[in-house]
Amino acid sequence: MVQGDRYFETLHNAYGQQFSIDKVLFESRTEHQHLIIFDNAKFGRVMALDGMIQTTEKDEFIYHEMLTHVPILAHGNAKRVLIIGGGDGGILREVTRHQSIEHVTMVEIDASVVEMCKTYLPNHSNGAFDDPRVNLVINDGRDFVINCQDKFDVVISDSTDPIGPGEALFTSAFYQGCANCLTEGGILVTQNGVCFMQLDEVTTTDSRLSPYFADRSFYRAAVPTYIGGDMTFAWASDNAAVRQHSIEVIRQRFAAANIETRWYTPELHVGSFALPRYVLDALGQ
Ligand code: SAM
């Protein structure tokens, strides 16, 4: 929420972060949500939806690399990827770095987010929307996966928080739809909030995934503008082995992928699945 020359995030009532607004680049109420993109001296260009920080130029690489390279390198032979949400194009940029990927479908509910991020956050997508492997669909991600006849090796849900349009992407129907979209050995990963601040979202996601996926877990990365602790990513597949590769296997696959990163390393890949005691206790593990 804008107050004078400052932006106040309203994700949490009792706690929050604020940014100086050096310049508002775009602000509107789209068909689905309030969208603002502004310049900030510390984080560069910042995009927020409905009062929730979505992404910043300064720290986006952490989140986009971890939500993309962990499942793709763990899978080891992914050819087709489905991205749900991801309107800023950061996930799409990272997925298309993998030459082994043959097709990407991206299902984003709000065309304005895509257009405004192409314009004001061009480095996020860095031309990925023009990649011939990419099929952009403007639709609700839950409707898409429920009705989808195609199959994908990796599904990445890069959604807003479970408020407003994003709420649909944290439902059992969505997770069941994702399970139906996955090939044998396929992997689902999702944005699942900051576990210290949103622990109930971790336990709720785990219970909602459980009827459809034999193996469920979470992994973490510290993203400064997702405040209050580590960003937690949900992980689901039918085979625990894909989550538990040795560091040697991940190193080999990362070297073969021949991609440059600024955060992701094979060591962080393996280590990111180590969860704090309080999260394990909440999950009954
Ligand atoms: N990295 C951010 C985070 O962790 O909160 C998410 C970034 S991305 C901008 C989130 C995208 O999800 C937005 O573009 C939003 O329009 C999209 N979205 C929200 N609900 C959706 C739905 N039901 N179907 C498809 N896309 C949706």
Side-chain angles (χ1 to χ4, degrees):
M1 165 176 54
V2 175
Q3 282 185 355
D5 66 350
R6 302 195 77 80
Y7 187 83
F8 290 81
E9 184 177 37
T10 55
L11 174 60
H12 305 293
N13 291 325
Y15 165 77
Q17 62 184 333
Q18 58 173 294
F19 297 79
S20 62
I21 299 175
D22 301 332
K23 185 180 180 189
V24 175
L25 298 166
F26 180 80
E27 182 175 10
S28 89
R29 175 154 293 284
T30 75
E31 184 189 347
H32 298 280
Q33 48 211 339
H34 175 266
L35 165 61
I36 186 169
I37 300 174
F38 60 88
D39 259 333
N40 170 265
K42 181 71 181 170
F43 283 95
R45 292 189 173 181
V46 180
M47 192 258 282
L49 291 171
D50 285 344
M52 296 173 277
I53 297 300
Q54 298 297 307
T55 190
T56 82
E57 283 182 317
K58 184 101 171 168
D59 68 0
E60 57 88 5
F61 67 98
I62 302 169
Y63 172 90
H64 292 128
E65 289 182 15
M66 288 300 283
L67 196 52
T68 301
H69 304 318
V70 172
I72 288 178
L73 295 174
H75 185 285
N77 189 32
K79 302 291 185 210
R80 295 173 55 82
V81 174
L82 172 62
I83 301 169
I84 304 294
D88 54 71
I91 295 289
L92 190 63
R93 178 195 70 213
E94 292 303 313
V95 169
T96 52
R97 283 185 198 280
H98 291 267
Q99 293 315 306
S100 57
I101 298 298
E102 296 171 356
H103 174 84
V104 190
T105 289
M106 175 170 157
V107 184
E108 162 59 52
I109 199 168
D110 196 332
S112 301
V113 176
V114 174
E115 291 316 309
M116 291 305 110
C117 288
K118 277 183 181 176
T119 304
Y120 295 107
L121 290 169
N123 298 328
H124 270 61
S125 53
N126 195 32
F129 285 108
D130 300 325
D131 188 306
R133 294 171 289 173
V134 173
N135 171 37
L136 175 63
V137 175
I138 300 301
N139 193 357
D140 176 283
R142 176 173 58 179
D143 293 347
F144 181 88
V145 295
I146 288 172
N147 298 299
C148 183
Q149 302 303 313
D150 287 339
K151 292 287 185 186
F152 300 90
D153 303 306
V154 171
V155 176
I156 299 173
S157 179
D158 175 23
S159 73
T160 45
D161 284 86
I163 302 163
E167 192 170 2
L169 305 183
F170 291 80
T171 59
S172 296
F174 174 68
Y175 296 136
Q176 183 178 23
C178 289
N180 293 339
C181 281
L182 281 168
T183 53
E184 189 174 342
I187 299 169
L188 165 66
V189 291
T190 81
Q191 186 274 103
N192 210 97
V194 172
C195 53
F196 187 78
M197 301 298 293
Q198 298 154 288
L199 187 59
D200 59 325
E201 290 179 29
V202 170
T203 51
T204 301
T205 295
D206 181 58
S207 64
R208 289 180 181 169
L209 286 170
S210 60
Y212 313 113
F213 294 94
D215 181 60
R216 302 163 318 276
S217 187
F218 294 85
Y219 64 106
R220 302 172 296 124
V223 185
T225 53
Y226 298 149
I227 59 168
D230 285 345
M231 165 51 73
T232 318
F233 305 106
W235 171 282
S237 79
D238 280 339
N239 178 1
V242 291
R243 172 169 56 88
Q244 297 164 336
H245 288 301
S246 69
I247 188 77
E248 290 73 23
V249 166
I250 300 299
R251 279 182 183 142
Q252 286 164 9
R253 292 180 179 178
F254 182 53
N258 192 29
I259 54 176
E260 285 189 21
T261 58
R262 296 167 58 202
W263 177 270
Y264 177 93
T265 68
E267 293 73 20
L268 273 173
H269 175 133
V270 173
S272 67
F273 284 93
L275 295 175
R277 184 71 258 157
Y278 77 91
V279 175
L280 294 170
D281 287 346
L283 292 168
Q285 296 180 19

